[in-house]
Amino acid sequence: KNRVREHTFYRNKLYYESKVKPYFGNRKITEIKTIDLERWQNNFISKNYKKNTIQKYRSVFFSILN
């Protein structure tokens, strides 16, 4: 059984709602291309987000695929 702690779930949900969903909107996962993901990440880089923060957001994004 694959489980995450409640705190982790809510933190990841917050990241999704505030960082992933606003950028990609209601697009289907199959419609998101590699270039879209790169542009999304570059958006954070241009705003001087730290590398580890961007990696957390990427992790949340990719957890959707699993």
Side-chain angles (χ1 to χ4, degrees):
K1 198 171 191 178
N2 201 7
R3 300 182 66 74
V4 295
R5 291 182 297 172
E6 187 175 347
H7 171 76
T8 303
F9 173 80
Y10 286 111
R11 184 195 64 214
N12 288 350
K13 183 178 177 185
L14 176 65
Y15 289 161
Y16 171 77
E17 293 290 336
S18 65
K19 304 301 180 187
V20 178
K21 189 175 180 180
Y23 188 87
F24 294 106
N26 293 326
R27 293 171 63 188
K28 295 179 182 178
I29 291 293
T30 56
E31 296 173 343
I32 298 173
K33 306 297 180 206
T34 303
I35 190 70
D36 300 319
L37 185 57
E38 289 175 9
R39 287 178 181 147
W40 176 64
Q41 293 176 123
N42 287 339
N43 177 55
F44 296 122
I45 292 169
S46 71
K47 294 178 180 177
N48 295 318
Y49 280 65
K50 293 183 180 182
K51 182 179 178 180
N52 287 342
T53 301
I54 298 170
Q55 287 176 335
K56 288 177 192 175
Y57 299 157
R58 278 180 51 94
S59 175
V60 169
F61 177 87
F62 285 110
S63 71
I64 296 167
L65 303 176
N66 290 332

